[in-house]
Amino acid sequence: MTVQIGFGQNNTSKEITGQIFEQSSNVEGVNIINNTTQVTAVSNAAGIFSIVVKEGDVLVFSAVNLEPFKRRITVQDLNSDSIVIKMAAKEIELKEVIVNDNGGITAENLGVIPYGQKKYTPAERKVYTANSTPGDKLLNAISGRTAMLKKEVNVEKKEMLFRKIEYLFDENYYTERLKIPVADIKGFQLYCVDDPEFAVSLDTKNKTMSMFLITDLARKYLIILENEK
């Protein structure tokens, strides 16, 4: 019997299992992408994941709270029961917070309006006024004015969200971390505020959630840009 020993890369694909570890940060929801095949996976609450690979493939691990990590798959990885991935927590630099000495002064505690009264934006006030009396409400409905004013409210809300996202991240964050070209940053910001889940994270000032969601939105937006070429 003749035994042939071959040297070279193993091109057979195989689904492998792995587990991600980090001392202080959550390892759930880590995005894993095979750079060769573009196959993706996401880790569970215990940091466990599975993904199809072959020898030589490069896996890229990323999460908003962890530093990106790359792992080239070896024969040993393919033959092991599970691979171990050790990631490091990311240091998030927060923008300077300016404390306003008059921040506690509001229209409510000055007695201008009652406590708990709804505060309307300019566009919302127009809608409220247009619907304030039965006669006006009917006329405005017939003329379509109310629908137009409600559209103004939606536009105003998007403008407010756009201003928030402009303040939340600086240009380097888009170009270096999210890989968005400088010329496409404004378009990407508009794309983000149109996403309902991301809009909620902005409106509730949940920066951690915004950073988590914007990573996936950036990936999708880069695909759109690539398809437009």
Side-chain angles (χ1 to χ4, degrees):
M1 184 176 69
T2 302
V3 178
Q4 293 183 340
I5 301 176
F7 296 92
Q9 189 179 65
N10 180 5
N11 291 318
T12 303
S13 295
K14 176 184 177 181
E15 184 175 33
I16 64 169
T17 300
Q19 187 168 16
I20 301 165
F21 292 94
E22 203 291 316
Q23 291 183 350
S24 59
S25 295
N26 185 13
V27 290
E28 181 180 9
V30 175
N31 295 308
I32 305 106
I33 182 168
N34 185 326
N35 258 6
T36 306
T37 62
Q38 298 301 300
V39 172
T40 60
V42 180
S43 63
N44 65 15
I48 297 172
F49 66 92
S50 61
I51 190 169
V52 175
V53 296
K54 62 180 182 297
E55 183 187 352
D57 284 356
V58 176
L59 299 184
V60 179
F61 300 79
S62 62
V64 294
N65 60 319
L66 300 170
E67 292 291 346
F69 180 79
K70 291 183 180 180
R71 168 73 170 260
R72 185 177 293 277
I73 298 301
T74 65
V75 174
Q76 289 77 14
D77 293 332
L78 294 172
N79 293 330
S80 65
D81 294 330
S82 178
I83 65 173
V84 174
I85 304 297
K86 294 182 179 180
M87 299 184 71
K90 183 184 296 180
E91 293 184 6
I92 300 174
E93 182 179 347
L94 299 177
K95 292 196 173 185
E96 180 184 2
V97 177
I98 299 174
V99 178
N100 183 358
D101 291 336
N102 297 321
I105 300 176
T106 65
E108 289 179 335
N109 60 33
L110 288 176
V112 177
I113 62 173
Y115 280 95
Q117 178 174 307
K118 177 175 173 57
K119 301 176 184 67
Y120 293 92
T121 66
E124 288 174 331
R125 281 197 294 272
K126 290 180 183 178
V127 176
Y128 180 81
T129 303
N131 292 324
S132 59
T133 62
D136 288 343
K137 185 175 182 179
L138 177 60
L139 291 173
N140 286 319
I142 294 171
S143 66
R145 180 166 177 265
T146 299
M148 179 189 69
L149 293 173
K150 286 182 178 178
K151 187 176 180 180
E152 284 185 23
V153 172
N154 291 330
V155 170
E156 184 182 69
K157 285 180 178 177
K158 285 191 177 181
E159 288 176 348
M160 291 171 63
L161 291 173
F162 189 79
R163 286 195 293 271
K164 287 181 179 180
I165 193 175
E166 280 188 313
Y167 173 79
L168 197 59
F169 304 110
D170 57 29
E171 184 175 286
N172 288 339
Y173 187 88
Y174 293 101
T175 57
E176 295 178 11
R177 186 159 294 175
L178 300 179
K179 308 305 179 186
I180 302 294
V182 174
D184 296 301
I185 289 176
K186 293 296 182 187
F188 174 63
Q189 289 172 333
L190 290 171
Y191 176 78
C192 289
V193 299
D194 274 333
D195 182 82
E197 195 173 3
F198 184 82
V200 170
S201 73
L202 274 182
D203 203 38
T204 56
K205 300 179 181 179
N206 188 337
K207 185 172 182 179
T208 301
M209 181 57 69
S210 294
M211 293 179 71
F212 174 78
L213 295 172
I214 204 170
T215 302
D216 189 54
L217 289 172
R219 179 182 61 81
K220 293 177 181 176
Y221 192 73
L222 289 171
I223 292 173
I224 293 172
L225 291 179
E226 186 64 29
N227 291 336
E228 288 178 349
K229 292 181 180 179

